[in-house]
Amino acid sequence: MIINPVEKSKYLLQLDVVLEASEINNLFKKELNKTAKTSKMKGFRPGKTPTNLVKNLYGTQMMVELVNKNLVSQVYEYLDKEGIKTFSNFVFDTEDFDYKFTPNDIQDFSASLLVVKEPAVELDSIDWKGNLQYYLPEAQPEKLDEQIDSIRMDIGGLQESEEAIGADSSITVSIIEQEEGADKSEGLTSTFSYVVNAIANETLRESIIGQSKGHSFDLNIMDLTDNEYTLEKQVLKLEGDAKIDSVGKEYKATIDKVEKKFLAEIDEEFFTKIDPNGTVKTVEDLTKILTENYYNTYRNNSDVLFFNDFKDFLLAQFDLDLDDNYYKKFFKQIAGMDDHSLEFHLDRYKDDYKWSWVKGYLDEEYGIEVKDEEITRALIAEINSYFGGVNLPEHMYKKFLDDAYKNPKMVERKKDQIYMSHLVDFMKQNNEIEETFITIADYEAKVEALNDKLVKKAEEENNHDHGHHEHNEAHEHIHGHDLVEDGGDDEDPLLSEETVK
């Protein structure tokens, strides 16, 4: 193969290639003889199929495969030999081929390929500290005081009370299953405790507040919560593998006991119960921990805010110097985009391409990666949070994880969250990115502005993404090798939309 390189710009290399007819012919003859010896065809003994018959039946397909294979392999051998590292797979500079794959009249195959070189991003020269902040809302003293009171309530515990039921009261309820408005014969009975303000149905919750011990009422257990595990195990206390669907939903309920929390005294016993190890000894120690916990509740949002600022800032530092014609060729040939999609979304696709270009180098330089076990741990944490921190049986974790991994968007969302967290940690440790505390109002304004931006972007996508590929396919197809595809004996070859993995 003859390969002539032409520098189109700093990062764009054009390779004018010629796969000569003599080379194609030699390769074709070898492949033809090999196929004839291994083919099994009715009427002929194994290995005795005439080469002319194989040529007539499969010749065009064999030529296409040979050109594909040698075009790709020899181009990348050339790049490797010359020490040219590439970012994405090559595209054809022209899509209008007049080459015919005709076994009886083999001609030179020529094409111009465009290759984007691997970037050389000078990260050390960037002034991160002067241009990026990691925002967190200032801790609010009144919120911290509320948390300390809540802890005092938890430590103080519950005391039986004859007072009217409040939102924070715990009630012990006995129930009996109903059938046609009366107690069901051998119906299900149970006794359970429930915090009033945890009742999901507002009407039921408000009807209980202000009542006292002995109050009876009709109860549809689905009004308590939509968490079936809680209903099965904590409310109805079903045995074995019995499910909520196997029992009735309507019950007569009676409040047997009312308990209210009381504030524990802030003394040595209080701190011992909070932390038996003795590291929390004062209100100041406790406030410090609560303050950090307060910040942690916002860190996911803060990571997203930082990441978007980081991405925009980093993209502004580098110019790939690729024109729209290249991008259109790339997205049409590699990602299968159509003209309609490119008309409305080309700028966004270009940003996706450029970010993938920069991010690949960034990850390699910084060593940022997300491991499978990290995603699994994050999914388990989400499951535990959904069930209120209750440890579930092993088979339930397995089922939830299996279901989660069948949802690529969920897994990708977790991966993105972990990636952003790793990036933030790296930038804080190595590039002096400090936490910047702002008022909660200013913080919420930043979150709202970013949400508005993302919603607007999603709406634009929904308005125009009809009948063609989704935008993220542009990113998914950045790596790989394109193929020339057989168009038939009398048709020009087409550029394949598939990628060699």
Side-chain angles (χ1 to χ4, degrees), residues 57-73:
L57 290 173
Y58 307 115
T60 300
Q61 178 185 343
M62 290 169 59
M63 281 190 62
V64 170
E65 292 173 353
L66 286 170
V67 170
N68 276 323
K69 180 180 178 181
N70 284 275
L71 183 67
V72 170
S73 63

Side-chain angles (χ1 to χ4, degrees), residues 164-179:
I165 297 170
D168 61 347
S169 297
S170 174
I171 55 176
T172 299
V173 183
S174 58
I175 59 174
I176 181 169
E177 188 176 356
Q178 299 293 291
E179 184 176 53

